[in-house]
């Protein structure tokens, strides 16, 4: 994975499609927040489709973000599993210094894997468990680079929260575009992804 190239491409895509991408991400975030995350799954699925079309040079309608409610249950379960993992991370994050560093490092990766899992549900019609498994397999094709990339888009995507005059809603789309680009690249590597079942069997034998 070429981290700098993907970051540059994310920035270029956001700049060229600022208004539609900003509005689509803003609506997704607002509706997800208003519904306390209940609709976050299908809305992120719709945003995934919206951004993939944008990346492919199409001009999708904003209504695209409401187009994947047929996948409400599986995407909701992905979000629920992510939430539970996030709770564990937040508990560990309560440890001074080390916990906070772990929370940042793990939180960014979990966010990327979760979004990719939603992508697999939407794009490949996988079950929530299989989608998360495929996301992990894709991650293990190049773990260090993917982790660094997830950390980069997480920090840049959330950096707006540090500035009152530059709210996070303006930087968040960058992170989401970066996540879609990661999915596009990593999902193509599935044939060479790490087979977690084989690794588990080898571990048992030893």
């Amino acid at each position: 994975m070429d981290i700098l190239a993907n970051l540059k491409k994310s920035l270029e895509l956001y700049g060229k499609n600022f208004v539609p991408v900003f509005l689509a991400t803003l609506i997704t975030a607002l509706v997800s927040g208003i519904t306390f995350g209940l609709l976050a799954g299908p809305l992120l699925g719709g945003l995934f489709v919206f951004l993939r079309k944008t990346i492919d040079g199409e001009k999708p309608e904003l209504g695209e973000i409401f187009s994947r409610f047929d996948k409400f249950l599986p995407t909701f379960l992905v979000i629920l599993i992510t939430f539970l993992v996030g709770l564990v991370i937040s508990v560990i994050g309560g440890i001074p210094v080390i916990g906070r560093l772990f929370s940042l490092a793990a939180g960014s990766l979990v966010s990327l894997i979760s979004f990719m899992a939603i992508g697999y549900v939407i794009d490949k019609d996988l079950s929530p468990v299989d989608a998360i498994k495929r996301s992990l397999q894709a991650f293990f094709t190049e773990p260090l680079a993917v982790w660094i990339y997830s950390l980069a888009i997480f920090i840049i995507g959330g950096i707006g929260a540090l500035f009152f005059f530059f709210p996070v809603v303006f930087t968040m789309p960058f992170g989401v575009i970066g996540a879609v680009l990661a999915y596009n690249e990593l999902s193509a590597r599935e044939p060479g992804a790490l087979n977690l079942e084989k690794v588990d069997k080898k571990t048992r034998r030893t």
Side-chain angles (χ1 to χ4, degrees):
M1 169 178 280
D2 192 328
I3 297 173
L4 293 179
N6 277 351
L7 293 177
K8 181 180 179 182
K9 188 173 182 179
S10 298
L11 184 60
E12 291 176 349
L13 285 166
Y14 187 24
K16 292 179 181 178
N17 304 277
F18 175 78
V19 174
V21 169
F22 170 74
L23 289 177
T25 308
L26 178 61
I27 293 171
T28 299
L30 286 177
V31 178
S32 296
I34 292 172
T35 59
F36 299 99
L38 182 64
L39 301 182
L43 286 172
L44 285 172
L47 182 62
F48 171 83
V49 174
F50 180 93
L51 292 176
R52 283 197 94 187
K53 288 185 176 181
T54 300
I55 290 170
D56 290 339
E58 300 179 36
K59 299 294 181 182
E61 299 290 334
L62 278 177
E64 194 76 65
I65 61 178
F66 299 103
S67 67
R68 299 325 311 256
F69 276 83
D70 59 316
K71 297 293 184 180
F72 172 80
L73 184 57
T75 55
F76 171 76
L77 289 176
V78 170
I79 295 299
L80 179 60
I81 294 171
T82 303
F83 174 74
L84 295 176
V85 173
L87 285 180
V88 176
I89 293 175
S90 66
V91 171
I92 299 175
I95 302 173
V97 184
I98 295 178
R100 293 182 179 180
L101 291 176
F102 172 81
S103 181
L104 175 62
S108 61
L109 183 58
V110 168
S111 295
L112 178 59
I113 289 175
S114 175
F115 189 83
M116 287 183 59
I118 288 178
Y120 278 114
V121 169
I122 300 300
D123 187 39
K124 307 294 186 181
D125 198 28
L126 297 184
S127 70
V129 173
D130 286 340
I132 292 174
K133 178 182 175 182
R134 291 284 281 274
S135 296
L136 288 170
Q137 289 175 327
F139 160 68
F140 278 112
T141 61
E142 201 173 352
L144 181 59
V146 175
W147 172 71
I148 293 174
Y149 180 73
S150 72
L151 189 61
I153 62 174
F154 184 83
I155 292 175
I156 297 174
I159 201 170
L162 300 177
F163 305 98
F164 177 76
F165 61 92
F166 195 54
V168 69
V169 292
F170 285 101
T171 55
M172 185 166 51
F174 174 90
V176 185
I177 293 174
V180 176
L181 289 175
Y183 174 86
N184 285 347
E185 179 175 345
L186 297 176
S187 63
R189 300 181 184 180
E190 288 171 358
L194 178 64
N195 190 319
L196 299 182
E197 292 180 356
K198 290 183 179 179
V199 171
D200 184 55
K201 289 180 181 178
K202 289 180 181 178
T203 303
R204 291 177 181 178
R205 290 173 184 172
T206 56

